[in-house]
Amino acid sequence: MLDADFFRRWMAATAASVEHEAERLTALDSPIGDADHGSNLQRGFRAVATVLEKDEPGTPGAVLTLAGRQLISTVGGASGPLYGTLLRRTGKALGDAAEVDEQEFAQALRTGVDAVMQLGGAAPGDKTMIDALLPAVDALGQSFAAARSAAEEGAQATTPLQARKGRASYLGERSIGHQDPGATSSAILIAALAETAGE
């Protein structure tokens, strides 16, 4: 069973990974975006780590809802609302349970991913974070490690795609040949989840 401490550790692991990968994310964002994806997420997840240390929410749902709210209020651009919505809607779907099992979490995360798709209007193959998140959610029923592999493969598979949503879509065919930064940061989020689960 997964308790509030597990989800706090997931957010702390994500913050550490984003810190480590911020330069790479910004380098990926440079040719097809605003060259600020890494620094924006770095600021956001630092704020998440700080607020979770201070407030210590007592349920899995409360941890993710608070993390999502914090991202929305501290991250500029599109990534704040998108990641904030992902975590907040996942948290709300988990409700007030003190512990959740892996299946309940997988269902809640799917609710969060659906909310992101609705907010951004993105579908699989549009070269966005959805290309990493959807395969991860599909694989989460097997294991956290399977979700990590699926997210990583999904992120890498965005390289040959032409962007149809977000800032990169303005570039048309020039967006081809670049790995999507949002899909890459989503894979980092899922990798931190697998690491927290010890997989």
Side-chain angles (χ1 to χ4, degrees):
M1 295 293 280
L2 313 171
D3 60 7
D5 181 60
F6 175 87
F7 287 93
R8 280 199 297 266
R9 286 187 290 118
W10 175 28
M11 291 296 103
T14 302
S17 296
V18 166
E19 205 69 48
H20 187 252
E21 298 280 3
E23 281 183 26
R24 180 167 78 102
L25 290 173
T26 292
L28 288 172
D29 195 33
S30 193
I32 58 172
D34 289 331
D36 60 1
H37 190 60
S39 53
N40 279 345
L41 283 188
Q42 200 174 24
R43 185 170 67 250
F45 277 101
R46 273 180 192 164
V48 166
T50 303
V51 77
L52 289 178
E53 271 177 33
K54 197 175 63 164
D55 287 14
E56 294 198 354
T59 65
V63 170
L64 294 184
T65 304
L66 179 59
R69 276 209 315 266
Q70 195 66 21
L71 287 173
I72 290 168
S73 65
T74 54
V75 181
S79 52
L82 291 168
Y83 273 108
T85 296
L86 174 69
L87 295 179
R88 223 174 63 176
R89 291 298 289 275
T90 301
K92 283 189 173 165
L94 290 173
D96 297 325
E99 292 183 321
V100 296
D101 64 28
E102 289 176 26
Q103 220 45 55
E104 288 167 328
F105 171 54
Q107 285 168 348
L109 189 60
R110 185 173 292 281
T111 302
V113 173
D114 287 345
V116 171
M117 287 170 73
Q118 211 174 356
L119 177 67
D126 282 349
K127 197 180 180 102
T128 70
M129 62 198 290
I130 295 304
D131 291 314
L133 290 174
L134 261 188
V137 167
D138 288 341
L140 200 51
Q142 301 166 48
S143 67
F144 289 111
R148 174 175 53 202
S149 298
E152 185 56 48
E153 282 166 26
Q156 288 172 2
T158 62
T159 303
L161 300 177
Q162 179 172 329
R164 291 200 288 262
K165 288 287 170 194
R167 183 67 191 251
S169 64
Y170 304 156
L171 295 175
E173 289 183 1
R174 283 181 298 147
S175 64
I176 295 170
H178 299 282
Q179 186 168 315
D180 183 66
T184 307
S185 58
S186 294
I188 289 169
L189 178 77
I190 301 299
L193 176 65
E195 180 192 315
T196 305
E199 290 184 19

